[in-house]
Structures are given as C-alpha cells and as structure tokens.
Amino acid sequence: MKRILTIQDISCVGQCSLTVALPIISACGVETAILPSSVLSTHTGGFTGFTFHDLTEDMPAIEAHWNKEHLTFDAFYTGYVSPSQIDYIRHIMESCAAPGALRIVDPAMADNGVLYVGFESDFPSQMARLCEGADYILPNLTEAAFLLGRTPVLSGYDKSFIEELCKALQDTLHVKNVILTGVSFDENQLGAAIYDGTGFSYVMNPKISRMSHGTGDIFASAFTGALVRGKSAKEAAAIAADFVCASIQATAEDHRYGVSFEAAIPSLVKALAE
C-alpha cells in the first residue's frame, strides 16, 4: 500500500485541510500520514474568534524521529502552511522520500483576488519556493497570478490566457504538471485546466451557484488519492471535480462551515474502481 504524507493545518471543527484530507485519501485506499502545520479550534470560514496554534517548532523533532525509524513516504501533499515552515517542509520532502516519491503542492494562500487573512504580501514568493520543482501544483486563478507576481484576472479570459498562465507557471517554477482550478469559459461551467508540459486538457462540470468553504481542499485531496492510486492527472482531476460537486449537492443549505463530503464518499470509491 502506498503511503502519503499530507502537511497542512487541522481545524478541530470544520470540513477543510487535514480534517478532509485524512478521510478522503484514506477512502481512496491509500495510507495517510499527517504532519499538522497548526491547530485551530474551528474552520476560519464561517466562524469568528477561533484559536490558532502554530506547530513549526515541532517539525524538526518529528522529522528526526521519522529518520531514526527509517520511515519514508511515496508522496507528499501540502496545503495551508506558514512561511516559517517552508524550509522544514522542503527538507522533510528530501529526507523522508521513498524512491520516486511525488511532490504535490496545493499553494493554499489566496482566493477571489486576495491573500488569506494572516499572510503578508511577500508570502507568494515563499510559496513559490515550496512549489519549485514539484511534480504537481494545484493553484486557483488567484494563487497562480500571485505565484507569478501578477494581478489576478478572474473573468473575461479565454483559453489562450489560461494556457499562457499554465506555461508561465511551469517555466518559472520548473514544475512537471499544472492543475489550474476555478477555470470557467462560460457562466454555466466550472472546472480545471491540466498542463503536462506537452499539451492541455480540461475537465468541466456544471457550475453550482453556491459558495462553499473547503471545496479546494476536497478537490486537492481527492486528486491526490486518485493520482497515487494510478489514475492519470486528467482522470484524477475529473474524479476530484465530480466528488466536489456531489459533496456540495449533499450539503444542507444551512451548513455554514464546509460541505458534507462524507455523504459523497461512496461515489468517490466507485469512481476509483471504474
């Protein structure tokens, strides 16, 4: 069985980050190890007054113990992390890598044209260092622009714009594959562009007119699980996109801190078996 290490924050209550990554990747049939970057009392979307505890100081000792026990991982998947953790994470990806280990980076730092609360304006340059040389990166349109030092363009674009953006990410960050999320060419569809350095493909789903927290984490987690199970990047992106849609549709209107992905897990397991 393959073993993934996912590095991101954990909210004690709220469907995002490690709270979704662990069950989703496990449901994909992949052993899932975790390294929490921080602990929050709740999701930051839908709650106020939440607690936050940074775990940067714990990382070196955890890595040292793993090295002592000769523990290695077949893939690394990172999400929301702090600037102070970038160097530690890069070192862990080297010292704890099994032969041929994949590096999958979701540069979780921004959306809708702005950085998340708590990140300074120089954080995209730090996140770019984590993305450098990755096998797969999964930015949304805002994150892609910030990684390149550009102003985000969130509407009114065409395929040539999207494809130039993906090529610029690969050329600048020396990544192997770009999975650009939040792509929409008309008001009725939403999906992702996949660029492997030689060509482009797209996965599109009907757009659901509902704002939901944590869907990016759900997509990245399902994509990672499907990829490590042997699916191609396009197949993994399609499975992940379908799973996000099913999760949103299974969620009650008054559910304010995520989506009910748990109810859609059977559809994910079925898709992986096909």
Side-chain angles (χ1 to χ4, degrees), residues 1-4 25-26 28-32 72 74 228-229:
M1 183 180 289
K2 298 287 187 180
R3 179 191 293 145
I4 289 176
I25 299 173
S26 296
C28 291
V30 182
E31 180 182 346
T32 312
T72 60
D74 300 292
V228 173
R229 277 289 303 271

Side-chain angles (χ1 to χ4, degrees), residues 95-127:
S95 73
C96 298
L102 295 175
R103 289 176 53 197
I104 303 159
V105 179
D106 177 8
M109 61 178 173
D111 203 0
N112 299 314
V114 296
L115 286 168
Y116 292 151
V117 174
F119 287 143
E120 301 294 334
S121 60
D122 65 343
F123 184 61
S125 64
Q126 297 297 316
M127 181 58 76

Side-chain angles (χ1 to χ4, degrees), residues 245-256:
C245 291
S247 298
I248 295 173
Q249 291 166 345
T251 305
E253 289 293 333
D254 60 351
H255 189 71
R256 65 191 176 105

Side-chain angles (χ1 to χ4, degrees), residues 188 205-213 215 218 240-255 258-265 267:
N188 299 313
N205 291 75
K207 186 181 292 185
I208 300 173
S209 57
R210 174 176 179 176
M211 169 61 186
S212 301
H213 299 292
T215 51
I218 291 171
D242 288 346
F243 180 54
V244 169
C245 291
S247 298
I248 295 173
Q249 291 166 345
T251 305
E253 289 293 333
D254 60 351
H255 189 71
V259 296
S260 301
F261 71 91
E262 299 91 343
I265 282 179
S267 69

Side-chain angles (χ1 to χ4, degrees), residues 44-175:
T44 61
F47 294 97
T48 59
F50 50 85
T51 67
F52 177 90
H53 180 65
D54 187 272
L55 296 173
T56 304
E57 293 183 356
D58 295 315
M59 289 186 172
I62 291 172
E63 179 186 4
H65 184 228
W66 287 344
N67 291 162
K68 180 182 177 183
E69 297 295 332
H70 306 291
L71 293 172
T72 60
F73 306 96
D74 300 292
F76 301 92
Y77 155 42
T78 68
Y80 183 100
V81 298
S82 301
S84 60
Q85 297 169 345
I86 300 297
D87 287 334
Y88 290 128
I89 294 171
R90 284 174 60 90
H91 197 271
I92 288 170
M93 286 178 166
E94 293 176 3
S95 73
C96 298
L102 295 175
R103 289 176 53 197
I104 303 159
V105 179
D106 177 8
M109 61 178 173
D111 203 0
N112 299 314
V114 296
L115 286 168
Y116 292 151
V117 174
F119 287 143
E120 301 294 334
S121 60
D122 65 343
F123 184 61
S125 64
Q126 297 297 316
M127 181 58 76
R129 293 178 54 242
L130 184 57
C131 292
E132 180 77 26
D135 293 284
Y136 298 86
I137 61 170
L138 293 87
N140 59 36
L141 290 171
T142 299
E143 291 159 346
F146 286 166
L147 286 169
L148 295 170
R150 301 181 181 181
T151 300
V153 176
L154 304 180
S155 62
Y157 49 78
D158 57 15
K159 279 191 176 181
S160 63
F161 172 85
I162 293 298
E163 293 179 3
E164 186 280 328
L165 188 62
C166 291
K167 289 179 180 178
L169 286 167
Q170 188 186 57
D171 291 343
T172 302
L173 302 174
H174 309 293
V175 299

